[in-house]
Amino acid sequence: MIREAQLEEQFIRKLRDLKYIYREDIRDRKMLDKNFREKFETLNRVKLTESEFERLKTDIINPDVFAASKLLRTRNYFQREDGTPLHYTLVNIKDWCKNEYEVINQLRINTENSNQRYDVIILINGIPVVQVELKTLDVQPRKAMQQIVDYKNEPGNGYTNSLMCFMQLFIVSNRSNTLYFANNKKQHFSFDADEQFLPVYQYADEQNKKITHIDSFAERFLPKCTLGELISKYMVLIESEQKMLVMRPYQIYAVKAIVNCIHQNRGNGYIWHTTGSGKTLTSFKASTLLKDNPDIEKCLFVVDRKDLDRQTREEFNKFQEGSVEENTNTETLVKRLLSTDYADKVIVTTIQKLGLALDENNKRNYKERLEPLSKKRIAFIFDECHRSQFGDNHRAIKDFFPNAQLFGFTGTPIFDDNATYNMREGEQASYKTTDDIFEKQLHAYTITHAIDDKNVLRFHVDYFKGQGNVQPKPGEAIAQQAVVEAILEKHNAATSSKRFNAILATASINNAIEYYRLFKEMQAQKQTEDPDYIPFNIACVFSPPAEGNKDIQQIQEDLEQEKEDNKQNPDEKKAALKMIIDDYNQQYKTNHSINEFDLYYQDVQKRIKDHKYSNADYSHKNKIDITIVVDMLLTGFDSKYLNTLYVDKNLKYHGLIQAFSRTNRVLNDTKPYGNILDFRHQQEAVNMAISLFSGEKDAKEARKIWLVDSAPVVIEKYRKAVAKLGDFMETNNLACEPAAVYNLRGDAARIAFVNNFKEVQRLKRELDQYTDIDKEQLAQIEEILPEENLRSFRSSYIETAKQFREIQQKEGDQAPVAVQQLDFEFVLFASTLIDYDYIMELIADSTQKKPTKQKMTKFQIINLLTSNSNLLDEQEDLTDYINSLDWNSGQEVNMLREGYETFKIEKSNKELVEIANKHGLQVAILKTFTDQIINRMIFDGEKLTDLLEPLELSWKERRIKELSLMEDLVPHLKKQVQGREISGLAAYE
């Protein structure tokens, strides 16, 4: 096998072929600084004194990578010793190709706390901007990512106190697989299993074919001008979040396609980028690059509806503060169009305002005032360009601006097949195709590509079968009561015990109102029958009759069904919506009214997104479980915590894809797919939509990519994974039983168990969210691995994985290679159901002498607790507390909670007494010391010196005592703060 040193040598040779200058003399900070000084003086035509150079370094070296990155891209000011100003740049920011590109390797940055060594670094004008970590084939790139994160978290690391602070990109490769990602501040640069790791990309060509081998990657990604262009043009600094983004390959190709089309004046075009692929960032970058194009007079980014106008403007300004100003009305739009101010070159506006501005019947003569602009070259970029009203304005724009170029972004283009479709039940609405309006496709990144790249999830589609043998015809509605019964039965499974939430899409406003009534009645009935029944939080949102309200009219221009429905019996619709909003106000302690419908609509969207907070941080009573809609929220709305769509309306083509795509935003392994439960048996419509939007794949191949396996297939995979676990245990002469895991000998065997059981749990987690598993299949799953055994195996996994994680954290690079490479998925073992409150209520119920309750033993509750990773930090304390309880005397929940808090305090104090006695310290003084740390969440080294002062130790003795004390104190402190970070403590971990 090729060693890392050989990989490094080969990679440097590749960079030298690409005309990089190899500087083998730069191996430490001193030489790095010396080289930078030479490049700086040459670029800025200046000769600095020693003290000036030291002052310059002090000015530019910043532990905040975001601030350093801004400095890298701007012209800066420095005052010389003689008082004269020096306006300087760190690199040639006008033409990044003209900088000097060098490569170094095995750089060491030695500090008091850190002795890091970096594989390969690319310098631009002497500044480290790209770091490459190379690993052998048997090491997953993810471990190289972890190493980078660990390096960055080390106290005194070079990324905070040397020129390494300018690092822009990281590349990791095991030769065959290469990935890259942007540097960031700590809050955006974590490796937390509970969320996806920061955005990591594989490179791809214009046809989205992956380029992963390090040599091919270098040839396409690392030519000097290509890299310079990427860093200067295609990295985005988000001011409001203090976050850096590097654009994905397909985003860059789309921007280049638009810019080239304008540069060559080649007419119009559209970008087909699927929902969830980051179209707003792509369009922002295209418009900002056009801002500096002298051939273009104006660039208008055109959106549909008022809320999109606000949302898109906020997105644009998030990418670059103040880049887009608000248009409050058409008059403002006209003034900004006529303005020659650079700030007015890019304008975000709505299609409605643009239509009014070009309306020759308007009394304010907008069109006449805009006449001087009519022959200028203007670029129009349309968001979601297939919307119906765009067709009405297309001719007006082309007639008035004959030299304009029009560009559209869409996730679901209109082709001949879907140019006429069933927009309203029973009515036809005709569209032109996207090609008719925009002439040609400039770039495509379809949902097939996005699923393949894991940028969005696949779908699980359950065509509801109901009871008995009578099957409705495709598209035929079934009784709404049956739908509600099915949803109430399946919602917990579909949403992983309410970890996620759902939308119910209905065919009309009347249907939505009836559904809302049925949910209310049937849940009230369930509560009557079972006092312990916890109802789901149901919301409902549809637009009211417009009655001349321009805001509502604007909203309804994209809500065809609702606009049509509101023409019939509008007073009934208003009364129903008022009642729904009144219920909402009572449930959530809000004060919304139908007169300010938009505020109510925004609050509903916010509460759907609030599912991201745990119930411990934000009580479930404040969230929404199911939102009943007609047209609203089925396009454009994004939430990672929405995973289920219940469908009781006929959907086709792009309407179907848009609605389904609400569910498939990527989160982590707790969300394996987007869940669709279709009550209209629209399998043919789904197949037609996949066929139409599959891109270059054929329909059969696309279906394999888009749709998850059926339940029987996954059950069979689960059976094989459990059998493989059994075979593994057998090869170790052990029975396939949870208790036997503790008899496994050696790291290799225990690591093999972790990897085997992780696959078992992953498949079980998938099956748990299937809504179409029948009783027979449930029995099969239970037979494969009984729930009690599964739970015990999970406890064994968590305990084993925790032990390995502690070795990884404690020993780092010194740990055995196999342990270093081990990747834990604690999130797979998390359950929203089994939280602190649930455990306390379970104990209370199990200690009561109520015949209606199924009692659990201490052992069973402890087993349940240890088989879920939710309460890892409290597992030990909760287990000790449960063991201390008298199981035969009734316990009330509040009494249990108070008892647990007292128990924890007493246990903590006892631990502190033991630590104080062990190290010869007074208990009261040590407690004051730890209380101050916990209250401030800051560890102060000077206070530690003060604490040890009475012991009258020599410097050397004190250092040994410090380390010995902190070895005991760090775990104690970390347990008290339950996972939160104590600033300054990392030096002793």
Side-chain angles (χ1 to χ4, degrees):
M1 182 176 288
I2 299 176
R3 290 179 293 109
E4 279 186 29
Q6 290 173 283
L7 285 177
E8 201 172 289
E9 192 181 308
Q10 291 170 6
F11 181 63
I12 289 170
R13 197 179 306 134
K14 172 62 72 176
L15 291 181
R16 293 178 81 170
D17 291 343
L18 294 169
K19 308 304 181 195
Y20 283 79
I21 299 164
Y22 177 43
R23 295 291 303 272
E24 60 183 324
D25 56 317
I26 301 176
R27 291 289 169 94
D28 57 28
R29 186 187 303 209
K30 183 181 175 184
M31 287 304 295
L32 186 70
D33 289 353
K34 181 175 182 287
N35 181 55
F36 163 67
R37 180 175 179 175
E38 290 167 6
K39 301 295 185 296
F40 179 89
E41 291 180 342
T42 302
L43 176 69
N44 294 286
R45 298 177 184 176
V46 68
K47 196 74 179 169
L48 298 177
T49 67
E50 287 298 328
S51 61
E52 282 175 335
F53 180 63
E54 289 304 316
R55 193 155 50 85
L56 175 72
K57 279 201 302 179
T58 303
D59 281 0
I60 66 171
I61 290 172
N62 193 325
D64 181 341
V65 63
F66 189 83
S69 298
K70 286 171 70 177
L71 195 71
L72 184 67
R73 291 165 170 80
T74 54
R75 191 167 172 78
N76 309 294
Y77 171 80
F78 176 75
Q79 189 169 12
R80 302 201 62 189
E81 286 174 353
D82 60 5
T84 58
L86 172 63
H87 294 280
Y88 70 89
T89 58
L90 298 175
V91 296
N92 185 337
I93 55 176
K94 287 186 178 176
D95 189 346
W96 281 65
C97 283
K98 291 181 178 173
N99 289 297
E100 195 162 315
Y101 290 74
E102 299 166 308
V103 57
I104 64 175
N105 68 316
Q106 296 301 308
L107 176 74
R108 280 190 183 277
I109 298 287
N110 300 312
T111 70
E112 185 182 338
N113 300 307
S114 174
N115 190 24
Q116 297 172 354
R117 190 178 66 214
Y118 310 94
D119 286 359
V120 178
I121 291 174
I122 290 173
L123 309 176
I124 299 183
N125 258 29
I127 291 178
V129 290
V130 179
Q131 180 182 332
V132 185
E133 283 295 317
L134 300 165
K135 296 292 176 190
T136 53
L137 268 173
D138 59 332
V139 179
Q140 290 300 313
R142 186 177 166 107
K143 297 314 295 182
M145 295 176 206
Q146 179 69 66
Q147 183 177 312
I148 289 166
V149 173
D150 291 345
Y151 271 13
K152 283 201 70 189
N153 288 338
E154 253 187 43
N157 69 69
Y159 300 103
T160 60
N161 58 20
S162 77
L163 290 169
M164 295 281 286
C165 71
F166 289 102
M167 191 61 66
Q168 299 296 291
L169 287 171
F170 294 104
I171 297 169
V172 298
S173 179
N174 64 359
R175 191 167 172 77
S176 66
N177 191 13
T178 305
L179 303 109
Y180 65 99
F181 49 98
N183 193 5
N184 259 305
K185 296 170 78 164
K186 191 167 184 177
Q187 63 262 41
H188 306 301
F189 203 84
S190 61
F191 205 80
D192 184 356
D194 197 39
E195 293 292 340
Q196 280 246 313
F197 182 52
L198 49 92
V200 176
Y201 309 132
Q202 289 180 315
Y203 196 59
D205 64 15
E206 288 86 343
Q207 283 70 49
N208 303 299
K209 185 182 175 186
K210 294 283 175 289
I211 299 170
T212 59
H213 191 281
I214 188 65
D215 289 345
S216 309
F217 175 87
E219 286 163 10
R220 287 292 300 262
F221 191 89
L222 292 174
K224 295 188 291 187
C225 282
T226 305
L227 180 62
E229 186 180 48
L230 178 77
I231 292 172
S232 59
K233 285 185 180 177
Y234 300 115
M235 289 189 73
V236 179
L237 275 60
I238 303 178
E239 192 73 47
S240 62
E241 296 179 31
Q242 297 282 291
K243 181 179 183 180
M244 289 204 293
L245 290 178
V246 57
M247 294 177 73
R248 296 178 171 104
Y250 62 83
Q251 293 174 313
I252 294 171
Y253 297 135
V255 170
K256 285 183 174 179
I258 291 174
V259 171
N260 290 339
C261 200
I262 286 173
H263 180 65
Q264 297 162 15
N265 204 0
R266 286 192 292 108
N268 307 334
Y270 70 93
I271 304 295
W272 175 10
H273 280 189
T274 189
T275 306
S277 62
K279 294 194 294 291
T280 307
L281 172 58
T282 313
S283 51
F284 159 77
K285 181 48 71 173
S287 61
T288 50
L289 288 179
L290 295 177
K291 199 169 184 176
D292 294 324
N293 186 330
D295 299 333
I296 295 294
E297 186 72 19
K298 296 280 177 182
C299 178
L300 269 73
F301 187 76
V302 185
V303 296
D304 183 62
R305 298 203 321 260
K306 181 184 70 176
D307 64 324
L308 278 179
D309 179 23
R310 180 185 60 242
Q311 181 181 315
T312 306
R313 191 176 61 252
E314 286 171 359
E315 285 285 304
F316 268 43
N317 285 330
K318 185 176 82 171
F319 297 139
Q320 186 175 309
E321 202 171 3
S323 68
V324 176
E325 291 185 19
E326 181 174 1
N327 288 335
T328 50
N329 53 41
T330 309
E331 174 65 32
T332 310
L333 170 64
V334 171
K335 283 180 178 175
R336 292 191 65 208
L337 279 167
L338 294 169
S339 163
T340 56
D341 192 326
Y342 180 73
D344 290 323
K345 189 159 181 180
V346 174
I347 300 170
V348 172
T349 189
T350 62
I351 191 77
Q352 292 81 9
K353 288 176 197 162
L354 194 57
L356 285 171
L358 298 178
D359 183 357
E360 56 192 20
N361 299 318
N362 192 284
K363 294 175 184 175
R364 303 191 70 169
N365 301 321
Y366 292 136
K367 193 171 180 181
E368 192 178 320
R369 287 162 60 191
L370 289 171
E371 193 61 40
L373 209 61
S374 65
K375 300 297 185 286
K376 304 279 189 182
R377 280 186 68 190
I378 296 180
F380 289 87
I381 298 177
F382 291 86
D383 181 55
E384 286 304 337
C385 61
H386 64 68
R387 299 194 191 280
S388 57
Q389 60 270 37
F390 176 71
D392 303 333
N393 289 285
H394 178 64
R395 185 170 296 281
I397 292 169
K398 289 298 288 179
D399 288 348
F400 190 76
F401 297 107
N403 295 320
Q405 286 181 270
L406 279 57
F407 301 95
F409 281 82
T410 180
T412 47
I414 305 299
F415 302 112
D416 287 334
D417 287 356
N418 61 323
T420 300
Y421 74 106
N422 201 13
M423 170 66 94
R424 296 181 293 273
E425 302 235 326
E427 285 191 48
Q428 297 287 318
S430 178
Y431 275 6
K432 290 180 177 179
T433 69
T434 308
D435 277 343
D436 288 337
I437 296 170
F438 290 101
E439 297 175 8
K440 57 188 171 291
Q441 179 184 295
L442 297 178
H443 191 258
Y445 183 78
T446 68
I447 193 168
T448 311
H449 296 128
I451 291 171
D452 224 14
D453 288 350
K454 297 184 172 57
N455 282 331
V456 296
L457 298 171
R458 300 199 289 171
F459 300 107
H460 170 253
V461 186
D462 172 6
Y463 303 101
F464 180 66
K465 296 167 189 65
Q467 303 294 322
N469 299 319
V470 180
Q471 289 295 325
K473 294 173 185 173
E476 184 178 85
I478 63 172
Q480 286 185 242
Q481 182 159 340
V483 172
V484 174
E485 284 172 355
I487 291 173
L488 292 177
E489 179 192 335
K490 293 171 181 283
H491 186 77
N492 269 332
T495 59
S496 190
S497 299
K498 299 191 275 194
R499 160 81 165 162
F500 304 104
N501 52 23
I503 285 175
L504 166 58
T506 67
S508 67
I509 289 177
N510 284 341
N511 280 12
I513 294 166
E514 177 63 8
Y515 268 122
Y516 184 79
R517 184 189 67 76
L518 280 168
F519 270 111
K520 201 170 171 179
E521 281 182 9
M522 290 169 73
Q523 293 211 103
Q525 178 66 31
K526 280 180 176 289
Q527 279 185 295
T528 304
E529 293 165 1
D530 177 9
D532 290 334
Y533 175 77
I534 300 170
F536 299 117
N537 298 337
I538 311 292
C540 180
V541 62
F542 54 83
S543 58
E547 298 175 336
N549 184 317
K550 288 185 179 178
D551 281 349
I552 302 298
Q553 284 174 351
Q554 199 174 86
I555 288 171
Q556 284 182 349
E557 283 178 354
D558 194 38
L559 307 173
E560 290 287 321
Q561 187 70 45
E562 293 183 22
K563 185 165 68 172
E564 202 61 28
D565 286 352
N566 272 311
K567 293 175 184 175
Q568 312 297 322
N569 302 321
D571 289 343
E572 284 181 19
K573 309 280 195 308
K574 275 179 75 174
L577 186 57
K578 281 179 179 174
M579 180 268 293
I580 288 166
I581 293 174
D582 285 346
D583 284 355
Y584 186 93
N585 287 334
Q586 192 173 346
Q587 161 82 20
Y588 297 111
K589 309 293 186 287
T590 50
N591 192 29
H592 296 297
S593 76
I594 197 169
N595 301 322
E596 291 183 307
F597 172 78
D598 197 38
L599 294 176
Y600 166 65
Y601 182 34
Q602 286 179 52
D603 194 46
V604 169
Q605 293 178 69
K606 178 184 175 297
R607 286 185 193 278
I608 295 172
K609 292 184 177 186
D610 282 347
H611 238 80
K612 67 184 178 184
Y613 301 115
S614 73
N615 292 341
D617 293 332
Y618 192 66
S619 174
H620 186 266
K621 69 182 181 186
N622 298 310
K623 302 172 188 174
I624 295 173
D625 291 311
I626 303 166
T627 309
I628 303 166
V629 304
V630 182
D631 292 327
M632 288 182 150
L633 298 176
L634 296 183
T635 59
F637 178 72
D638 283 349
S639 170
K640 291 180 179 181
Y641 287 81
L642 196 162
N643 84 323
T644 299
L645 176 71
Y646 302 117
V647 182
D648 188 27
K649 70 183 294 183
N650 291 340
L651 295 169
K652 286 180 79 174
Y653 296 125
H654 49 278
L656 183 147
I657 298 299
Q658 288 281 354
F660 278 26
S661 295
R662 298 314 100 214
T663 67
N664 73 338
R665 294 298 177 276
V666 173
L667 178 66
N668 55 36
D669 283 337
T670 63
K671 186 182 179 185
Y673 42 75
N675 236 334
I676 314 295
L677 180 49
D678 173 34
F679 292 97
R680 296 257 179 141
H681 295 81
Q682 300 176 88
Q683 188 164 2
E684 187 55 35
V686 171
N687 289 339
M688 287 166 68
I690 291 174
S691 178
L692 188 63
F693 294 107
S694 57
E696 72 271 13
K697 303 278 186 186
D698 65 55
K700 189 176 179 183
E701 194 179 347
R703 272 198 297 277
K704 286 181 185 174
I705 294 171
W706 286 40
L707 305 177
V708 298
D709 292 326
S710 64
V713 172
V714 184
I715 290 170
E716 188 52 36
K717 285 183 180 178
Y718 182 58
R719 186 191 306 279
K720 286 178 179 174
V722 172
K724 189 179 174 187
L725 176 66
D727 292 343
F728 158 74
M729 295 296 283
E730 195 176 308
T731 59
N732 283 273
N733 300 314
L734 296 169
C736 190
E737 294 171 357
V741 173
Y742 301 104
N743 293 321
L744 286 169
R745 293 286 173 263
D747 285 350
R750 291 162 68 227
I751 287 168
F753 164 72
V754 167
N755 289 327
N756 272 299
F757 188 70
K758 190 165 65 176
E759 181 62 7
V760 170
Q761 175 64 14
R762 187 184 66 76
L763 290 163
K764 182 62 165 62
R765 163 102 40 195
E766 278 189 35
L767 286 170
D768 284 345
Q769 291 179 37
Y770 273 55
T771 49
D772 53 351
I773 289 178
D774 58 30
K775 288 179 181 175
E776 188 181 313
Q777 289 167 329
L778 279 173
Q780 282 179 38
I781 293 166
E782 177 67 13
E783 186 188 337
I784 291 166
L785 185 58
E787 186 65 34
E788 193 70 33
N789 276 9
L790 175 71
R791 197 178 295 139
S792 295
F793 268 124
R794 287 209 303 247
S795 297
S796 304
Y797 173 95
I798 290 170
E799 192 171 329
T800 307
K802 272 169 64 181
Q803 289 168 2
F804 279 128
R805 186 176 66 171
E806 283 167 18
I807 294 169
Q808 281 185 344
Q809 291 172 342
K810 203 168 185 178
E811 298 183 18
D813 290 347
Q814 305 307 310
V817 174
V819 175
Q820 287 182 50
Q821 292 173 13
L822 195 56
D823 194 11
F824 310 117
E825 300 278 351
F826 283 117
V827 72
L828 274 173
F829 299 82
S831 165
T832 43
L833 181 66
I834 299 164
D835 59 10
Y836 173 79
D837 290 338
Y838 180 85
I839 292 290
M840 288 300 171
E841 283 162 12
L842 203 57
I843 297 168
D845 288 344
S846 296
T847 56
Q848 304 298 322
K849 296 178 175 58
K850 294 179 183 174
T852 54
K853 297 286 180 185
Q854 184 181 358
K855 292 182 66 171
M856 291 180 75
T857 64
K858 278 185 187 183
F859 173 77
Q860 286 173 318
I861 291 181
I862 289 168
N863 193 23
L864 187 67
L865 171 66
T866 56
S867 65
N868 289 278
S869 61
N870 298 45
L871 298 163
L872 275 178
D873 293 325
E874 291 207 62
Q875 203 174 91
E876 185 187 322
D877 286 346
L878 273 169
T879 302
D880 289 346
Y881 179 58
I882 292 167
N883 278 322
S884 74
L885 295 171
D886 179 357
W887 218 246
N888 296 313
S889 62
Q891 307 274 357
E892 295 296 333
V893 169
N894 288 337
M895 192 170 77
L896 281 167
R897 284 182 177 147
E898 287 171 18
Y900 178 54
E901 290 308 311
T902 304
F903 177 84
K904 278 202 299 184
I905 291 166
E906 288 173 355
K907 188 178 176 189
S908 172
N909 289 340
K910 188 178 174 186
E911 278 180 11
L912 211 58
V913 168
E914 288 173 3
I915 293 170
N917 291 339
K918 179 180 174 181
H919 296 281
L921 298 168
Q922 288 187 29
V923 175
I925 294 172
L926 182 60
K927 187 165 189 340
T928 303
F929 174 69
T930 56
D931 286 349
Q932 284 176 346
I933 293 170
I934 291 164
N935 290 337
R936 296 175 63 218
M937 294 302 289
I938 295 170
F939 175 80
D940 186 341
E942 289 184 13
K943 292 276 196 304
L944 179 60
T945 304
D946 295 343
L947 178 73
L948 298 175
E949 192 65 38
L951 300 180
E952 297 181 351
L953 303 169
S954 69
W955 179 87
K956 201 169 186 179
E957 288 170 333
R958 194 181 73 236
R959 182 65 179 157
I960 293 166
K961 176 63 83 173
E962 269 185 24
L963 294 172
S964 173
L965 172 63
M966 292 308 293
E967 192 173 340
D968 291 333
L969 215 48
V970 167
H972 176 82
L973 289 167
K974 288 180 80 172
K975 194 192 293 184
Q976 302 309 303
V977 298
Q978 294 183 359
R980 289 178 297 154
E981 185 182 352
I982 298 175
S983 178
L985 195 63
Y988 289 97
E989 288 186 57

